Amino acid sequence: MSGTSNALAIDGRRFQRRLAELAAVGAIEGTEGCARLALTDEDRHGRELVVTWMRDLGLHVSVDGVGNVVGVLGADTVAGAVLTGSHIDTVATGGRFDGNLGVLAGLEVLETVIDRGVDTGRPLAVGFFTNEEGSRFAPDMLGSLVYAGGLQLEDALDIVAIDGAVLGDELARIGFRGAAPVPGPVPHAFVEYHIEQGPVLEREEIDVGAVIGVQGISWTRFAFTGQSNHAGTTPMSYRRDAGYVAMRVAAFVRELVAEVGPPQVGTVGRIELHPNLVNVVAATATITVDVRNTDDDVLRSVEERIARFVADVAGGEGVSVEAETLARFAPVAFDDRVIDLVEVVAKELGNTTMRLPAGAGHDAQMLARVCPAGMIFVPSVHGISHNPAEHTDPADIEAGANVLLHTMLRLAATDFGDHR
Ligand code: GLV
Ligand code: MN
Ligand code: MN
């Protein structure tokens, strides 16, 4: 069994160089951040760069039907390998670490193992999954969901983006509609390294988080249709104002979340009015509602209360409603054996640790459907993420990558029994 000797460590400078090089693709001028929405040209260039690095390391690279890319060391399949990875797509105003950190840390781990000639016992692999963010195509974690068999490939390929593009066409256009089958081969175990994206580790002055699971996620798009009319001449009692209904719902989400209390969160991140003019009552309004909770029963009651409010306020205004579920994932608990291992390894390497749930969605929650899975978190400065100002200190980044390295080696030596 491999130990967690400090002698075996990743190369922090090489890791930072790759992070900077990938961040230069789709860089948002004047910031440290990136804009590489899934399956855009920027995503394509980021993908090509990472694939080049995988090939340079001599990994066996495969691309599956939904564009997930996996590089394996010591075998030609992920089946039975210890897999790590994350995503390299970003939100439009993304940081350089969300997702990218985990993918490049995986490369760094594999390069370290190659350089040092470590006998890992099992193959190791690193991958990146398509459209984790879900900003352009819903749902989020789409590639890993397909990989784990939770969404049929044909259904995924038909998904339409917020800009009208079709996922399958975009994959083909950027050259990433691959031949490897989905659902993908079942790994021995999966561990994902990610920034926390919230304030907990920094506030508690903890180096490394052992992630216990991911909270439930619910995304709904509400489209309201009323009637455009003159802003000056239309008496208030005559109005069928889609904008008014949308804004009442947006305010209600915030008030409801306050009433339910933590850990409930809720966001109206997108709102579109038509025709969006100063002197015209809005004919249509579209909003997205993102609500999350670690308790699925509470989350369900929040969804129900929002649906009732929408029906009441729209009905009162004579506005029709169409509701579309964009994403709905129940809370996920990670494998205790992986959580324990992350904690033990992090401590052995001299880090302070704590257990915490993930607030964001992650590819690991999909891989958890098919194999023992877990995650490693490092602190986010001021808890800022989905923002170009997202930052994590280089020393924390390096510490987390070493936890990943030794966790992967220990996972390779762990017998999980038959988990299929
Ligand atoms: C996506 O990863 C999200 O949590 O919004
Ligand atoms: Mn992420
Ligand atoms: Mn994200």
Side-chain angles (χ1 to χ4, degrees):
M1 182 160 145
S2 318
T4 50
S5 128
N6 280 315
L8 183 63
I10 63 103
D11 180 336
R13 265 193 273 178
R14 184 172 60 195
F15 187 14
Q16 285 293 340
R17 269 202 305 277
R18 282 209 185 100
L19 277 166
E21 229 181 292
L22 183 52
V25 182
I28 303 171
E29 223 187 297
T31 77
E32 299 273 287
C34 300
R36 291 199 308 273
L37 283 172
L39 311 186
T40 56
D41 287 342
E42 290 75 22
D43 186 25
R44 170 200 206 140
H45 294 136
R47 285 165 168 266
E48 287 168 349
L49 181 59
V50 175
V51 167
T52 303
W53 285 331
M54 286 178 168
R55 292 202 203 286
D56 287 350
L57 291 182
L59 306 185
H60 184 278
V61 179
S62 62
V63 183
D64 70 24
V66 75
N68 298 318
V69 176
V70 178
V72 191
L73 175 65
D76 60 3
T77 172
V78 174
V82 176
L83 177 63
T84 189
S86 191
H87 60 99
I88 62 164
D89 67 316
T90 73
V91 298
T93 52
R96 60 171 56 190
F97 301 105
D98 178 0
N100 304 297
L101 180 82
V103 177
L104 300 186
L107 273 181
E108 187 51 47
V109 165
L110 267 54
E111 185 154 6
T112 303
V113 162
I114 295 166
D115 283 354
R116 301 287 293 270
V118 180
D119 177 7
T120 59
R122 284 178 178 278
L124 304 186
V126 56
F128 57 87
F129 297 96
T130 296
N131 188 58
E132 190 277 347
E133 292 292 3
S135 301
R136 187 173 180 222
F137 299 93
D140 48 352
M141 286 82 68
L142 181 142
S144 47
L145 182 63
V146 172
Y147 189 98
L151 176 65
Q152 294 296 310
L153 178 61
E154 312 80 68
D155 295 336
L157 295 177
D158 284 345
I159 290 174
V160 178
I162 55 171
D163 52 24
V166 177
L167 190 135
D169 297 344
E170 286 294 84
L171 270 178
R173 185 184 69 79
I174 68 165
F176 276 88
R177 193 158 162 177
V182 281
V186 176
H188 174 66
F190 180 79
V191 60
E192 178 173 358
Y193 173 35
H194 207 285
I195 53 167
E196 181 204 335
Q197 307 181 271
V200 177
L201 294 177
E202 182 184 64
R203 190 184 62 216
E204 304 297 323
E205 298 184 6
I206 294 288
D207 304 321
V208 173
V211 185
I212 56 172
V214 181
Q215 66 179 342
I217 301 176
S218 165
W219 288 359
T220 311
R221 177 177 169 276
F222 292 104
F224 302 105
T225 305
Q227 185 179 52
S228 60
N229 213 333
H230 196 293
T233 62
T234 313
M236 298 314 284
S237 61
Y238 280 54
R239 294 185 184 217
R240 294 170 53 211
D241 186 343
Y244 166 69
V245 174
M247 287 177 271
R248 285 283 308 270
V249 173
F252 177 75
V253 168
R254 181 69 189 233
E255 288 155 13
L256 177 62
V257 165
E259 181 199 312
V260 173
Q264 182 64 50
V265 289
T267 306
V268 173
R270 204 166 167 231
I271 183 157
E272 277 175 354
L273 301 183
H274 182 77
N276 207 27
L277 296 170
V278 63
N279 55 352
V280 184
V281 174
T284 65
T286 305
I287 61 171
T288 56
V289 176
D290 171 326
V291 282
R292 309 192 192 199
N293 200 307
T294 47
D295 183 328
D296 210 36
D297 292 337
V298 178
L299 186 56
R300 214 170 300 115
S301 82
V302 163
E303 293 173 308
E304 284 163 9
R305 286 182 66 184
I306 292 170
R308 272 204 304 277
F309 184 86
V310 164
D312 287 352
V313 71
E317 186 72 4
V319 162
S320 66
V321 192
E322 265 178 55
E324 185 191 356
T325 300
L326 299 177
R328 182 62 171 89
F329 300 117
V332 173
F334 287 136
D335 191 297
D336 285 331
R337 297 163 298 184
V338 182
I339 302 167
D340 288 347
L341 194 54
V342 168
E343 202 170 45
V344 165
V345 168
K347 281 186 182 140
E348 282 179 10
L349 292 175
N351 301 289
T352 53
T353 68
M354 69 179 282
R355 294 177 172 226
L356 76 171
H362 294 291
D363 294 308
Q365 77 190 83
M366 300 309 170
L367 271 294
R369 296 177 179 208
V370 295
C371 67
M375 292 188 76
I376 300 160
F377 272 177
V378 285
S380 291
V381 173
H382 305 317
I384 290 176
S385 187
H386 284 188
N387 180 328
E390 177 183 278
H391 188 71
T392 294
D393 289 335
D396 291 336
I397 286 175
E398 187 169 341
N402 280 316
V403 175
L404 177 68
L405 165 66
H406 289 282
T407 300
M408 288 182 75
L409 295 176
R410 296 273 278 267
L411 285 170
T414 302
D415 181 4
F416 290 108
D418 186 4
H419 59 68
R420 272 163 181 272

